[in-house]
Amino acid sequence: MMSEKKDIRALTKTELREFFVSEGDKAFRGNQVYEWLWSKSAHSFEDMTNISLETRKMLEDNFVINHIKVDHMQRSSDGTVKNAVKLHDGLIVESVLIPTESRTTACVSSQVGCSLDCNFCATARLKKMRNLNPDEIFDQVAAINQESLLYYNHKLSNIVFMGMGEPLMNYNNVLKAIEKITSPEGLGISPRRITVSTSGLPKMIKKLADDEVKFNLAVSLHSAIDEVRSEIMPFSKAFPLKDLKESLEYWYAKTESRVTYEYVVWKGINDSKEAINALVKFCKYIPCKVNLIEYNPIDDGDFQQANQQAISDYISILEMNDIIVNVRRSRGKDIDAACGQLANKKS
Ligand code: SAH
């Protein structure tokens, strides 16, 4: 029986070089093939024209090149583009291109579905099916980069890991993908332009700090009061805010990189003065900024965006305390491409 062929893009450059040496070829051949796979996005061994026919045949016999396919693309009236991406096993994830005047941002997924259970997020309702591989994450970014060139005439400028899934529950693959995205042989995008957003897993935040990553960190805080936070994000019962605080202090001590707190204000949940004061206190632990995100309703109405007065109170009290605060309007709502709306629904 024939053994199953391996995905060649799961190999590192070193592994690829070693493979060629073990086949009696030169290590350098590994570099050539690596370049075809990553910077030239080759979809088949046939494309690798500077590799001999015989070697291409040998690769064909041993490996496959799994590539994602943009299955369905939608464009919003505000220019946002949503890709439904089909993986080699038929599962679907979504990624989004968000244009602003000066830049384009890719919002990419790290898991099929999500491991966590935030009550306000549509993705949480899909059960987690699997982690994405590094190449599947990389391919989403490469596809959006091409769309950015096509529609907006410039390369992708920023990447946020705010699509489906919890990136820090797929730690190794997300880091491997970022390595490819930032390397000159991949897309050469600076890590300073990449933000990984986590719902706040203290151990993994410390691991990021230990690994001395150079990208930005965002934490979906939504409440700085344990009882409230564990009500709306039940998994967080296991990760009290004091642990989160401690991990963020550790992160800042090692990286000196300011953290962004993502925060939605909901009616009757976190729109009180007490909630604001708790956030102010939390923001004093390390240098940070707060992004107030507009709520994107996902259904029934347990969660409703707070009124404008509550948002204004947040802004003025944060600013009074010298905390940077931005209000992030939603993009792509008409095509279910906004935060928390990614749930493989075609509109
Ligand atoms: N799991 C990661 C990344 C995915 S969610 C995380 O939790 O950070 C990306 C952001 O969208 C998070 O800040 C999340 O809390 C927010 N979000 C989820 N559902 C939302 C909704 N319905 N409206 C607005 N923001 C939402």
Side-chain angles (χ1 to χ4, degrees):
M1 216 175 78
M2 239 177 75
S3 62
E4 211 179 306
K5 293 186 197 177
K6 273 220 240 128
D7 175 6
I8 191 164
R9 294 201 307 163
L11 301 186
T12 62
K13 187 150 83 175
T14 310
E15 287 166 345
L16 208 49
R17 284 165 61 90
E18 285 165 4
F19 170 78
F20 278 100
V21 173
S22 74
E23 290 286 315
D25 202 336
K26 297 201 173 62
F28 167 71
R29 200 75 60 225
N31 297 25
Q32 287 179 309
V33 170
Y34 191 85
E35 200 180 323
W36 276 110
L37 293 173
W38 298 102
S39 38
K40 297 185 191 157
S41 273
H43 283 229
S44 77
F45 295 111
E46 244 168 71
D47 295 345
M48 304 182 176
T49 45
N50 61 353
I51 310 289
S52 76
L53 265 179
E54 197 190 335
T55 306
R56 281 187 254 164
K57 165 90 178 48
M58 181 275 289
L59 289 173
E60 190 86 57
D61 290 342
N62 285 283
F63 297 105
V64 287
I65 307 178
N66 286 332
H67 249 280
I68 62 157
K69 204 170 128 253
V70 177
D71 194 48
H72 183 75
M73 192 199 95
Q74 289 168 276
R75 273 192 97 182
S76 156
S77 52
D78 66 17
T80 302
V81 175
K82 180 168 87 172
N83 291 334
V85 165
K86 193 178 244 170
L87 309 172
H88 69 90
D89 53 5
L91 293 172
I92 306 260
V93 289
E94 293 174 333
S95 29
V96 182
L97 162 66
I98 307 154
T100 57
E101 252 160 53
S102 54
R103 61 190 197 191
T104 49
T105 300
C107 174
V108 297
S109 296
S110 55
Q111 298 183 309
V112 184
C114 189
S115 322
L116 303 179
D117 54 6
C118 305
N119 289 332
F120 46 83
C121 179
T123 309
R125 311 213 165 160
L126 304 169
K127 69 172 195 304
K128 186 204 136 201
M129 287 177 259
R130 69 169 172 87
N131 283 334
L132 293 186
N133 297 325
D135 52 289
E136 292 168 329
I137 298 170
F138 178 91
D139 285 354
Q140 292 176 66
V141 177
I144 294 208
N145 186 41
Q146 278 168 7
E147 288 167 350
S148 177
L149 287 164
L150 180 68
Y151 295 120
Y152 299 100
N153 259 323
H154 54 83
K155 268 182 64 175
L156 183 61
S157 28
N158 294 71
I159 301 165
V160 294
F161 281 78
M162 295 187 189
M164 294 172 152
E166 168 50 46
L168 301 192
M169 298 276 261
N170 184 16
Y171 189 94
N172 291 337
N173 291 353
V174 166
L175 260 66
K176 277 189 192 157
I178 292 178
E179 203 180 296
K180 295 252 155 55
I181 292 165
T182 52
S183 89
E185 282 148 333
L187 293 169
I189 295 177
S190 159
R192 293 268 160 246
R193 295 179 169 274
I194 300 176
T195 300
V196 169
S197 176
T198 174
S199 55
L201 305 171
K203 260 198 199 132
M204 302 318 282
I205 292 174
K206 283 188 173 172
K207 183 158 169 51
L208 284 176
D210 286 336
D211 287 342
E212 295 176 13
V213 299
K214 298 283 180 280
F215 49 77
N216 305 300
L217 180 66
V219 174
S220 301
L221 191 60
H222 303 309
S223 173
I225 300 173
D226 270 319
E227 299 76 63
V228 178
R229 196 163 188 265
S230 56
E231 186 71 26
I232 57 180
M233 304 164 83
F235 74 88
S236 75
K237 274 193 198 87
F239 310 104
L241 286 159
K242 85 171 180 11
D243 293 358
L244 183 58
K245 163 193 182 250
E246 196 217 316
S247 70
L248 292 166
E249 286 169 341
Y250 188 86
W251 158 272
Y252 190 77
K254 289 228 160 174
T255 64
E256 291 181 14
S257 165
R258 182 193 291 279
V259 171
T260 301
Y261 298 130
E262 293 155 276
Y263 203 98
V264 179
V265 188
W266 290 285
K267 196 180 280 177
I269 293 176
N270 57 358
D271 57 352
S272 64
K273 288 273 151 54
E274 187 200 354
I276 305 180
N277 293 336
L279 175 61
V280 168
K281 186 170 166 222
F282 198 88
C283 286
K284 301 227 158 137
Y285 298 144
I286 58 160
C288 66
K289 64 179 183 188
V290 174
N291 278 351
L292 292 179
I293 316 175
E294 191 184 336
Y295 178 55
N296 303 303
I298 55 167
D299 60 10
D300 34 31
D302 280 353
F303 289 90
Q304 280 168 34
Q305 168 87 23
N307 59 31
Q308 193 48 51
Q309 186 56 50
I311 312 276
S312 306
D313 288 348
Y314 262 96
I315 297 171
S316 59
I317 297 177
L318 287 166
E319 283 180 343
M320 227 169 0
N321 283 279
D322 295 322
I323 298 157
I324 305 168
V325 52
N326 296 300
V327 178
R328 291 267 177 260
R329 303 236 167 282
S330 269
R331 306 288 306 273
K333 264 207 237 187
D334 55 336
I335 54 167
D336 284 323
C339 286
Q341 289 189 315
L342 301 182
N344 294 342
K345 197 164 69 164
K346 283 186 196 170
S347 38

